[in-house]
Amino acid sequence: MERKTLFIINPISGGKRKDGVPELIGKHFNGQSTIIFTKGIAHASEVAAETKGNYDMIVAVGGDGTVNEIASVLVGSNATLGVVPCGSGNGLSRFLAIPMDIEAAIKNLNNGKVACIDSATANGKAFLIWPVWALMLT
């Protein structure tokens, strides 16, 4: 069965243009996909909250901020978080060994490998927990 996947693209993350990303998704992603470009702060989390029950995977195309916006909404849902790193630092992606190249990261989504990441809640808001110190060891 083909996975239904939503790609949420932050067009300004990392100061990099994302105009060609939809074409790369169409060319390299094996699955049914919908693409939405964010329109401002918190739009990624709004889209994820409204759609998480309709997709098997929701992919954050942006930096750690975009990933956090989407991930915080997906905690406790059945949707898988995918990441295509396009930020300035991409700390989580580096920790998870996700390719930094956009095309390679999209192809990587096809392998179906899923890792569990701890989350916590502070002031009613969920967030991911990942060891920043591990980045210094690589």
Side-chain angles (χ1 to χ4, degrees):
M1 185 166 137
E2 197 171 79
R3 294 177 296 174
K4 281 184 67 179
T5 302
L6 172 63
F7 287 82
I8 301 175
I9 302 173
N10 179 341
I12 61 168
S13 63
K16 302 170 190 165
R17 295 184 57 96
K18 315 294 179 320
D19 297 345
V21 173
E23 289 77 17
L24 291 172
I25 292 167
K27 183 176 180 182
H28 299 292
F29 181 69
N30 301 332
Q32 180 184 350
S33 62
T34 302
I35 299 168
I36 295 176
F37 281 85
T38 60
K39 296 179 178 152
I41 296 171
H43 188 228
S45 59
E46 291 170 15
V47 171
E50 292 169 3
T51 61
K52 67 183 175 185
N54 302 325
Y55 292 93
D56 302 306
M57 180 167 54
I58 297 180
V59 179
V61 182
D64 287 330
T66 305
V67 172
N68 187 57
E69 269 194 57
I70 295 169
S72 65
V73 174
L74 297 184
V75 170
S77 76
N78 290 325
T80 299
L81 172 67
V83 179
V84 174
C86 293
S88 54
N90 303 309
L92 179 64
S93 297
R94 291 177 193 283
F95 175 72
L96 296 174
I98 295 171
M100 292 296 112
D101 175 74
I102 293 173
E103 188 172 333
I106 292 168
K107 289 178 183 178
N108 189 58
L109 294 170
N110 294 317
N111 73 21
K113 182 179 177 184
V114 177
C116 291
I117 300 175
D118 289 330
S119 65
T121 304
N123 297 324
K125 178 131 171 100
F127 59 93
L128 299 180
I129 301 171
W130 49 278
V132 176
W133 58 265
L135 297 175
M136 294 183 269
L137 300 176
T138 57

